[in-house]
Amino acid sequence: FPKLYYLQLSENAISYVPDHCFSDLPLLRKLDLSDNSIKNITETSLRRTEQLETLYLQQNSLRHLVLPFRHLHSLHELDVSGNKLTEPPHCTSSLLLLYISDNEISSLYTRHFKSAERLKDLDLSHNKIQWIEEGVLSSMPELDRLHLEGNEISS
């Protein structure tokens, strides 16, 4: 399906995304892998998906995302809500919408958002955030909406 631009694989029993899994889909713009059992996704899992604009990975079992999105220069929307992440994924400069609610994040550092200059909407609600490094928000000058409700922020 070389002309496929939207692939919905949500609500399946996928636990593993193999390397180069989507490399035969060069025009893929929207990928929905939500509501599965995915534990890990690597940069090579999404190799040759440079046109990808929207990626839904919510409601999986992800614990870490180690720079799997750095080559996705067209990625505008990323949803990794409802996983087991302990830190936010590193942003790409193209990212506009980032949803990371309902995870296990306890601290926010500027390194997570150093390329987030275009980010407009950031949802970090219902995590375990207690500490935010000074300067985190200044790395996101375009931010319109920030959701931090349901965390453990005390001052």
Side-chain angles (χ1 to χ4, degrees):
F1 304 104
K3 293 185 178 185
L4 194 71
Y5 70 92
Y6 177 40
L7 179 58
Q8 184 160 355
L9 292 167
S10 63
E11 299 179 22
N12 280 290
I14 300 169
S15 61
Y16 172 70
V17 181
D19 290 349
H20 307 282
C21 183
F22 305 104
S23 61
D24 291 335
L25 304 173
L27 299 179
L28 191 64
R29 294 194 185 278
K30 188 173 186 177
L31 177 59
D32 189 344
L33 291 165
S34 62
D35 294 299
N36 278 288
S37 302
I38 300 169
K39 293 182 175 71
N40 188 28
I41 190 162
T42 66
E43 186 173 5
T44 52
S45 300
L46 298 172
R47 186 65 75 199
R48 294 202 44 180
T49 58
E50 289 83 10
Q51 300 299 316
L52 197 63
E53 295 175 353
T54 304
L55 179 58
Y56 297 133
L57 289 167
Q58 68 268 30
Q59 303 303 323
N60 277 288
S61 299
L62 294 167
R63 292 189 180 278
H64 303 286
L65 288 173
V66 184
L67 298 177
F69 311 115
R70 104 178 122 188
H71 71 284
L72 299 177
H73 303 294
S74 298
L75 191 65
H76 296 310
E77 181 177 2
L78 175 62
D79 191 339
V80 290
S81 299
N83 279 285
K84 298 175 182 178
L85 297 173
T86 56
E87 64 179 55
H90 290 266
C91 295
T92 64
S93 60
S94 62
L95 207 57
L96 301 174
L97 311 168
L98 179 57
Y99 306 112
I100 324 172
S101 65
D102 296 300
N103 276 283
E104 299 176 10
I105 298 167
S106 61
S107 301
L108 298 177
Y109 296 94
T110 54
R111 72 175 184 266
H112 297 128
F113 303 101
K114 69 180 178 181
S115 296
E117 60 270 359
R118 294 184 60 207
L119 197 63
K120 292 186 172 295
D121 192 348
L122 176 59
D123 187 349
L124 286 156
S125 62
H126 304 286
N127 275 281
K128 298 178 180 180
I129 298 171
Q130 298 175 345
W131 186 79
I132 300 173
E133 183 180 28
E134 187 175 333
V136 166
L137 296 178
S138 63
S139 62
M140 299 176 269
E142 297 296 318
L143 197 65
D144 291 333
R145 289 181 294 265
L146 175 61
H147 306 270
L148 287 168
E149 67 272 13
N151 279 288
E152 301 172 11
I153 300 168
S154 59
S155 59

